Amino acid sequence: MFIWLLTGLIGVFTIFFNLYILLMSLRTYRQNGHWIPSETIIAALTLVNGAHQVVSYLFLTLDKMDTQCIVSEHLISTLLVVIYSLKFCIMWTTAFLTFYYSTKLVIEPIHCYTKVQEAILKHVTTVVLLIALCAFGSCLPMIVVLTNQRAEGDAYDCGTLRPKGFPGLVYMGYYLLMSDIVPGLLMAKCSISISVHLAIHLRHMKASANGFHGPKLGSEMRVIRMNLGLVAIFILFLVVDLYVHYMNVVENKNAMPLTVLFTSFYTAVSTLVLIYGRKTFCKELLLQFRLVLGAYARACPCLKDPEDQPAVSAAPGH
């Protein structure tokens, strides 16, 4: 019950912030008349985050209400496959976003590698669609190689999927490799490239300024912090996710509610990092927050913005 309530609370904030990013991206599209590659990736990521949150909460609700497994186990298994597919898509879309920004910030001298980057970035929408198709295609075998039955003669456990023999174990290894480890390595590679680029750039700027003042990067530094933040959050989530899969596969325990909770928390925090990385998004959100505080300041004085309160001058001495 606690996990169900906490996931619902996190889900409200996740959907709100993802909807905010999506609306801001649509406004940018109307202003420019076309989709910017970064906006396309971020919009796809927000849609997947929202869909994952809705399906995950529906699964937790059914799992909590249907304790006797009255609902067909095929419905629960289908929801689990959709959840795993959306999680797969979230990881690869986030990795693609860090890859995109690393190609914009870092100039690689390798000609062949640069050509591959240019080919990928020219077809951003196609790559996003391929990520979604590969995610659902990679998770469809779960229906065959995994089962929600604990053992022969035991009652069904509708809240989890466990490997069915050796093919199931092989598939779980493949899923963890493709959904967690490979995109994690890609994000780590991009973060290392961005960090090295930042160190070299700061050293050149400091040398050109002769040490009189510190270098200023402005919006570029904000994007770098956003990418490094996404990688750091992903690494923490990867450790937790591997532990949950270990409890599910090796210890034979139902850890699916924890998987949903931690994934929801990851999507919520990563969404806040995305808002921080886009300066226009962050400033607009703060502006709307101040407007809300100003509108309700009369009803509740405790909500009044401290910056809007008049300064109290000291009483003159006698």
Side-chain angles (χ1 to χ4, degrees):
M1 179 63 71
F2 174 75
I3 293 177
W4 181 74
L5 292 175
L6 185 58
T7 304
L9 181 62
I10 296 174
V12 172
F13 287 100
T14 302
I15 293 177
F16 171 77
F17 288 121
N18 279 280
L19 184 61
Y20 167 77
I21 293 177
L22 183 61
L23 292 176
M24 293 292 291
S25 300
L26 290 174
R27 190 179 70 173
T28 304
Y29 166 73
R30 291 180 179 179
Q31 292 176 352
N32 298 331
H34 63 278
W35 283 101
I36 304 173
S38 61
E39 295 285 351
T40 303
I41 303 173
I42 292 176
L45 184 58
T46 56
L47 289 174
V48 176
N49 284 338
H52 177 272
Q53 194 64 54
V54 172
V55 177
S56 298
Y57 199 67
L58 176 61
F59 163 78
L60 285 182
T61 303
L62 291 177
D63 188 41
K64 183 65 181 175
M65 296 175 60
D66 189 24
T67 56
Q68 301 298 325
C69 199
I70 299 175
V71 180
S72 174
E73 67 265 11
H74 297 293
L75 174 60
I76 303 295
S77 300
T78 303
L79 289 177
L80 286 172
V81 171
V82 175
I83 291 173
Y84 279 115
S85 301
L86 293 174
K87 175 176 166 289
F88 189 104
C89 193
I90 289 172
M91 301 309 162
W92 273 101
T93 307
T94 306
F96 184 41
L97 181 64
T98 57
F99 170 80
Y100 170 80
Y101 279 117
S102 67
T103 56
K104 293 299 180 180
L105 296 172
V106 183
I107 300 177
E108 292 287 345
I110 305 176
H111 181 71
C112 179
Y113 185 71
T114 305
K115 289 295 183 181
V116 173
Q117 289 179 341
E118 292 177 355
I120 293 176
L121 297 180
K122 284 182 179 178
H123 305 87
V124 171
T125 305
T126 304
V127 174
V128 171
L129 294 176
L130 285 176
I131 289 175
L133 291 176
C134 291
F136 284 98
S138 298
C139 295
L140 282 178
M142 285 185 177
I143 301 176
V144 179
V145 299
L146 301 182
T147 179
N148 59 353
Q149 192 175 11
R150 292 182 178 180
E152 293 184 2
D154 289 346
Y156 281 103
D157 184 10
C158 297
T160 186
L161 287 176
R162 293 188 174 88
K164 185 191 297 183
F166 181 74
L169 292 174
V170 173
Y171 173 79
M172 287 304 297
Y174 162 80
Y175 176 80
L176 290 176
L177 179 67
M178 296 304 298
S179 67
D180 291 342
I181 297 177
V182 174
L185 291 176
L186 177 61
M187 294 177 67
K189 185 268 174 190
C190 294
S191 65
I192 293 174
S193 301
I194 292 174
S195 301
V196 172
H197 160 76
L198 176 62
I200 296 174
H201 191 59
L202 290 176
R203 186 179 62 183
H204 289 169
M205 292 183 67
K206 186 176 181 180
S208 61
N210 295 324
F212 288 107
H213 58 82
K216 298 180 181 180
L217 294 179
S219 59
E220 184 182 19
M221 191 64 193
R222 180 180 288 267
V223 174
I224 291 174
R225 288 174 179 170
M226 180 190 72
N227 279 270
L228 296 180
L230 289 175
V231 174
I233 297 169
F234 180 82
I235 292 175
L236 294 176
F237 170 76
L238 178 61
V239 174
V240 176
D241 193 47
L242 291 177
Y243 172 75
V244 171
H245 278 288
Y246 170 80
M247 294 295 294
N248 188 17
V249 177
V250 180
E251 298 293 334
N252 200 28
K253 294 181 179 180
N254 184 0
M256 193 61 197
L258 290 177
T259 302
V260 174
L261 175 63
F262 291 130
T263 307
S264 301
F265 185 76
Y266 166 77
T267 54
V269 177
S270 61
T271 302
L272 292 177
V273 174
L274 288 176
I275 293 176
Y276 168 79
R278 304 302 299 268
K279 188 175 181 179
T280 55
F281 291 4
C282 190
K283 292 179 67 174
E284 184 72 19
L285 183 62
L286 292 177
L287 177 61
Q288 295 296 330
F289 179 71
R290 290 180 181 275
L291 291 176
V292 171
L293 289 182
Y296 290 94
R298 294 182 179 180
C300 185
C302 62
L303 293 177
K304 192 172 183 180
D305 194 347
E307 296 184 2
D308 296 336
Q309 297 178 359
V312 179
S313 58
H318 298 284

